[in-house]
Amino acid sequence: MTIEQRVTGFIRENFLFSDQATPLSPADSLMEAGLIDSTGVLELVAYLEQEFGIAMADADIVPANLDTIAGISAYVSRKQSAAKAA
Amino acid sequence: MSEIRTFGPDDVPAVAAMFQRTFRDRAVPAPASLAQHIGDVFLRHPWYDPEVASRVHVSDAGVVNGFIGILPLPLVVGERRLRSGMAGSLMVEDPSKDPLAGARLLRSFLNGPQDISLSETANLLSQRMWERLGGTTVTGLSLDWMRVFRPAGLAIDVASGRIRAARLGRPVAAMCDSLARRAGGGFFRATAPDGVEGREVDEAGLMAALDTIPPSTGVRPDWTAEVLQWVLRTAEVKEQRGPFHRRVMTARGTTIGAAVFYGEPKSLAWVLHVTARPGAEAKVMEELLAYADVTGFAGMRGRVTPALHETLLRQKAFFFRRGAFVAHSRDPALVTALADPAAVVTGLAGESWIRLIGGTFR
């Protein structure tokens, strides 16, 4: 599974309560849709750190990295690439 | 790019203004006394620790739009000294614009170098955030107690907090209470314990008494006389709570406990702190309640501590939930130690003594 698919699965399971009918595209704003708030984002961060073995700095917890599935996937890819390059 | 950074003196006006808009009257500018107090407790605290300090969230535009207040709290458990911080006053200006700011502020604090992070005033949202970050709710410390002596008077006191004219109902309430106390078969009366004497004392008297009470064997603040005196002086004035009282209890000439509380007769007394020699908790609490009853208070309330739990129930106090006490540590044993009846982490050790709770800044 791709990063995008795994993140989508997590969001559906935890924030949509496994509802498969609700449309959820990679570019949808999770905050505008009310799916993620200040508590939800902490759950998401914990998932990303555990699932993908990355460490998120406080400065990385910004909408640009976490507001869309596409943004989250791109962020995780960048972190994994940086870790491999190091 | 938005950022989290340590709260500094230059941030005080912005944080005071945000506190005024968030928790007080939006239409009125923050009084200078509010800014002064915020600076006092979060920057000029004698235990100030720059690594376990308050933080601000700064928006993309460079504006301070979030704050988490951290009170430094060195703790002792057994022979071990702990670095700790008590968090409160978490606020974000217009969270809909920056929904991640609160989470970032709290996460930044919990990722700090302290051994244990605490908050005793977490609302439901904050409590969930703490738990998402691996924190634990300490249920035994998350309750308030209230003992009612004059139910009608208490109702008037609570109502007059919202409608001043409600005070006009006090004479009628006094008659109702007189009848209720006669008909209630002693239910509303608090009885003083045999062999215990209590007296109101000044600051020196309280400090001298506290000095004679052996420290708890559980988790407790690493008090020095200077810091305790500074905290007590800072806590002295809470206009919304009433005058500050210091009471010391003795038995056969030995100090067995002390309490500090706010309030004036006919209203509700707010207990900030109760301390007692091991085994004397019941006598100290009974004396305090009896004094409040005889003095004419409508009721008395405070924070439940495990050491006083059973005594308060026997004294016909009822318990209710206010804010949650939450704790976070990489060492689970430290969190477990907080639930021990010997732990002393509320009241003067907590956040409730600061004037942001119960103070009127004009």
Side-chain angles (χ1 to χ4, degrees):
Chain A
M1 277 206 291
T2 65
I3 295 172
E4 195 170 289
Q5 286 168 330
R6 286 156 75 184
V7 171
T8 303
F10 173 79
I11 288 169
R12 277 206 185 279
E13 190 175 327
N14 290 277
F15 301 118
L16 282 169
F17 308 104
S18 301
D19 173 13
Q20 303 298 323
T22 301
L24 187 61
S25 78
D28 286 345
S29 166
L30 301 173
M31 289 169 205
E32 278 179 20
L35 290 179
I36 289 185
D37 57 10
S38 50
T39 56
V41 76
L42 295 172
E43 207 169 324
L44 177 61
V45 167
Y47 163 76
L48 296 175
E49 289 188 328
Q50 193 176 346
E51 180 74 11
F52 299 104
I54 59 172
M56 283 193 81
D58 290 329
D60 291 345
I61 303 176
V62 291
N65 293 331
L66 297 170
D67 191 29
T68 64
I69 291 170
I72 296 166
S73 305
Y75 172 76
V76 171
S77 295
R78 282 199 306 279
K79 290 291 283 185
Q80 288 181 330
S81 302
K84 276 181 197 159
Chain B
M1 191 86 162
S2 61
E3 64 162 342
I4 305 284
R5 61 169 168 73
T6 303
F7 172 60
D10 292 345
D11 300 317
V12 171
V15 169
M18 187 166 37
F19 188 90
Q20 178 78 10
R21 288 191 294 270
T22 307
F23 297 115
R24 293 165 50 86
D25 187 351
R26 291 190 73 86
V28 178
S33 56
L34 175 61
Q36 174 73 31
H37 186 67
I38 286 172
D40 285 345
V41 296
F42 295 122
L43 291 172
R44 293 183 285 278
H45 192 300
W47 273 333
Y48 179 76
D49 179 343
E51 292 184 333
V52 189
S54 308
R55 289 156 166 79
V56 289
H57 183 275
V58 184
S59 72
D60 291 335
V63 175
V64 171
N65 68 342
F67 175 74
I68 184 168
I70 309 298
L71 297 168
L73 185 65
L75 295 169
V76 185
V77 54
E79 297 297 310
R80 192 172 167 194
R81 289 191 143 68
L82 305 172
R83 235 169 151 188
S84 144
M86 180 70 69
S89 307
L90 177 60
M91 56 184 162
V92 174
E93 189 111 66
D94 198 355
S96 62
K97 278 189 185 163
D98 206 335
L100 308 187
R104 286 180 66 186
L105 281 162
L106 182 56
R107 189 174 188 264
S108 167
F109 166 54
L110 297 186
N111 283 341
Q114 62 275 14
D115 299 295
I116 187 164
S117 310
L118 308 166
S119 176
E120 65 165 348
T121 53
N123 61 21
L124 274 177
L125 178 62
S126 292
Q127 185 184 4
R128 279 200 293 267
M129 286 165 62
W130 277 75
E131 289 173 347
R132 293 282 189 276
L133 286 164
T136 302
T137 298
V138 185
T139 308
L141 297 172
S142 298
L143 295 168
D144 272 19
W145 59 267
M146 185 181 287
R147 173 66 161 88
V148 179
F149 309 120
R150 291 166 180 82
L154 184 61
I156 292 291
D157 186 54
V158 172
S160 62
R162 294 191 170 85
I163 309 161
R164 283 192 71 81
R167 289 174 186 228
L168 297 173
R170 275 186 168 167
V172 177
M175 277 194 292
C176 293
D177 283 333
S178 182
L179 287 171
R181 285 165 67 85
R182 253 179 270 158
F187 181 82
F188 293 113
R189 293 181 198 279
T191 309
D194 291 334
V196 177
E197 287 180 10
R199 66 184 195 284
E200 293 241 1
V201 296
D202 59 12
E203 182 191 284
L206 178 66
M207 293 296 292
L210 292 175
D211 197 41
T212 66
I213 298 172
S216 162
T217 55
V219 184
R220 65 184 190 277
D222 195 5
W223 292 117
T224 63
E226 291 75 21
V227 177
L228 184 56
Q229 189 176 48
W230 184 87
V231 167
L232 283 165
R233 284 182 182 174
T234 308
E236 259 177 34
V237 180
K238 289 203 182 200
E239 298 84 347
Q240 292 172 33
R241 300 283 195 258
F244 190 60
H245 302 262
R246 309 168 193 87
R247 190 157 182 84
V248 170
M249 296 79 172
T250 55
R252 292 177 299 281
T254 301
T255 300
I256 60 166
V260 287
F261 65 99
Y262 305 90
E264 53 191 333
K266 297 182 184 172
S267 67
L268 180 65
W270 295 73
V271 177
L272 176 61
H273 196 75
V274 180
T275 187
R277 281 180 181 270
E281 295 88 355
K283 297 268 187 196
V284 167
M285 202 65 228
E286 285 169 22
E287 199 287 330
L288 181 63
L289 291 170
Y291 172 69
D293 184 7
V294 167
T295 311
F297 284 91
M300 190 169 234
R301 67 176 282 182
R303 197 74 168 167
V304 173
T305 58
L308 295 175
H309 196 138
E310 180 59 28
T311 294
L312 286 164
L313 285 174
R314 289 184 190 195
Q315 289 299 311
K316 294 171 277 189
F318 66 88
F319 294 179
F320 57 100
R321 184 69 173 261
R322 192 182 51 155
F325 192 106
V326 283
H328 179 282
S329 175
R330 286 171 274 276
D331 180 355
L334 295 181
V335 177
T336 304
L338 294 172
D340 188 295
V344 184
V345 283
T346 58
L348 291 172
E351 187 202 1
S352 304
W353 59 273
I354 66 173
R355 294 189 58 225
L356 297 180
I357 301 169
T360 302
F361 299 93
R362 300 199 192 282

